[in-house]
Amino acid sequence: MGGLGDLLKGTGGGGGGGLGDLLGGILGGGSQGGSGLGGNPMLKLLLPLVASLLMNGGLQKILGQLQQNGKGATGKSWVSTGPNEPVDAADIKAALDQGELAQIAQQLGVSEDEAADAVAQVLPDVVDQATPAGELPDDDELDRTFGRLHELDGVQQG
């Protein structure tokens, strides 16, 4: 098992709708191949939480924190069109506010270490899907993109 990151990559398809394809796969909209993501409750909970982190300037904040911690090239790789460099749980803990990580852990029902690891697996792919042109869109466009991902929370509870 390659983790949540590999699961996300598997839903991206060959290259079309980017985040739209990702959302469709997660919600079980596409039944091709039965990736099983539609039945992954942790992923359904995690993605809206990650989207919330990235909205309202949160992506720039996280990228700035990574830069300050010597991981700027890692964050830039997620935005660029090349391969994504991995990040680990310690990097996520350093980039997020303590309260943000605690909230994610509480909502997922896992420890903060497990939450940081899960975010580390998902975050590069989410950022990559939201920046298909290899550069950060303006804040309004990012908020619209992450807002659609954030709405998963309402869909899954309804």
Side-chain angles (χ1 to χ4, degrees):
M1 271 197 191
L4 294 174
D6 290 341
L7 289 174
L8 281 173
K9 287 178 187 173
T11 65
L19 193 60
D21 288 346
L22 177 68
L23 293 176
I26 291 166
L27 291 175
S31 57
Q32 63 188 55
S35 68
L37 275 181
N40 186 331
M42 185 166 160
L43 187 59
K44 284 184 177 182
L45 289 172
L46 179 61
L47 289 173
L49 297 172
V50 169
S52 293
L53 285 176
L54 300 176
M55 292 174 72
N56 302 315
L59 174 56
Q60 292 85 342
K61 183 183 110 182
I62 290 171
L63 293 175
Q65 285 297 118
L66 288 170
Q67 176 89 28
Q68 286 182 9
N69 296 328
K71 297 285 186 174
T74 299
K76 286 180 183 178
S77 75
W78 307 341
V79 174
S80 75
T81 57
N84 294 335
E85 291 183 26
V87 65
D88 62 28
D91 297 326
I92 294 299
K93 285 181 171 183
L96 298 181
D97 292 337
Q98 176 66 27
E100 292 171 328
L101 189 57
Q103 181 179 6
I104 291 172
Q106 178 186 16
Q107 296 224 346
L108 294 177
V110 298
S111 72
E112 288 186 19
D113 288 340
E114 291 170 310
D117 187 53
V119 171
Q121 292 180 50
V122 172
L123 186 61
D125 292 318
V126 171
V127 174
D128 188 53
Q129 291 289 329
T131 58
E135 56 188 50
L136 285 174
D138 65 39
D139 286 344
D140 289 339
E141 179 61 27
L142 281 173
D143 284 350
R144 278 191 297 276
T145 299
F146 295 132
R148 289 191 302 269
L149 188 57
H150 178 71
E151 289 169 6
L152 280 175
D153 189 40
V155 171
Q156 62 132 26
Q157 290 180 13

